[in-house]
Amino acid sequence: MLVSTRGRYALRVMIELAEHNSDGYIPMKEIAERQDISLKYLEKILPALAKNNFIEGVHGKGGGYKLTRSPEQYRVGDILRLTEGDLAPVSCLECNAAPCKRTAECRTRPMWNTLDRMINDYLDSVTIADLMK
């Protein structure tokens, strides 16, 4: 599993919004400048977060983005699954993967299952509030 810039930037944006939560809506331009992320890239990330109710966006003067919940309620695993898709360490464990004909006799499958569970359990145990510390 390799987390792309999309996932890493989404986490940075969520931390940024959490740290400025009391400031109301934060304009995309401010987020881009403070996090050194291009506006074009943010134009792909922020709507996905908004569409899935992780953040709320308002257009126009005084608009921008803000969190919809408290930082403690955002799990890193949820954000990464949204931006990255599946977090499976091997392709046979990905959602909607074609069934492998070797599953029954695969000697490595139990190890991959355990690793997959450990990755997801760990990422689900970390919140945006934890990352703010």
Side-chain angles (χ1 to χ4, degrees):
M1 174 193 78
L2 181 66
V3 176
S4 71
T5 53
R6 183 179 175 96
R8 293 192 327 263
Y9 288 177
L11 290 173
R12 286 172 44 192
V13 165
M14 295 297 287
I15 295 166
E16 173 77 19
L17 292 174
E19 288 175 339
H20 297 278
N21 206 27
S22 62
D23 298 347
Y25 291 96
I26 309 298
M28 186 185 307
K29 186 176 179 182
E30 274 185 42
I31 298 168
E33 288 171 0
R34 285 199 286 244
Q35 291 300 315
D36 195 27
I37 301 171
S38 77
L39 277 172
K40 281 200 180 277
Y41 213 126
L42 281 183
E43 288 171 353
K44 295 176 185 174
I45 296 170
L46 292 174
L49 292 169
K51 179 181 176 189
N52 288 277
N53 298 315
F54 283 77
I55 61 175
E56 179 182 0
V58 172
H59 297 287
K61 187 171 173 68
Y65 293 89
K66 71 176 187 174
L67 299 181
T68 57
R69 309 185 289 260
S70 68
E72 296 82 14
Q73 295 177 301
Y74 291 97
R75 300 183 314 176
V76 168
D78 293 333
I79 296 164
L80 290 178
R81 280 187 288 277
L82 173 68
T83 56
E84 298 294 321
D86 208 313
L87 299 176
V90 290
S91 61
C92 62
L93 293 180
E94 291 178 346
C95 293
N96 303 320
C100 177
K101 63 183 180 180
R102 295 190 40 82
T103 298
E105 65 267 0
C106 181
R107 293 180 180 234
T108 61
R109 181 75 183 244
M111 174 193 64
W112 295 127
N113 284 335
T114 300
L115 179 59
D116 184 49
R117 192 171 38 259
M118 290 171 71
I119 289 169
N120 281 282
D121 287 350
Y122 174 70
L123 293 174
D124 287 340
S125 75
V126 181
T127 68
I128 293 300
D130 295 326
L131 297 178
M132 291 171 64
K133 295 176 184 172

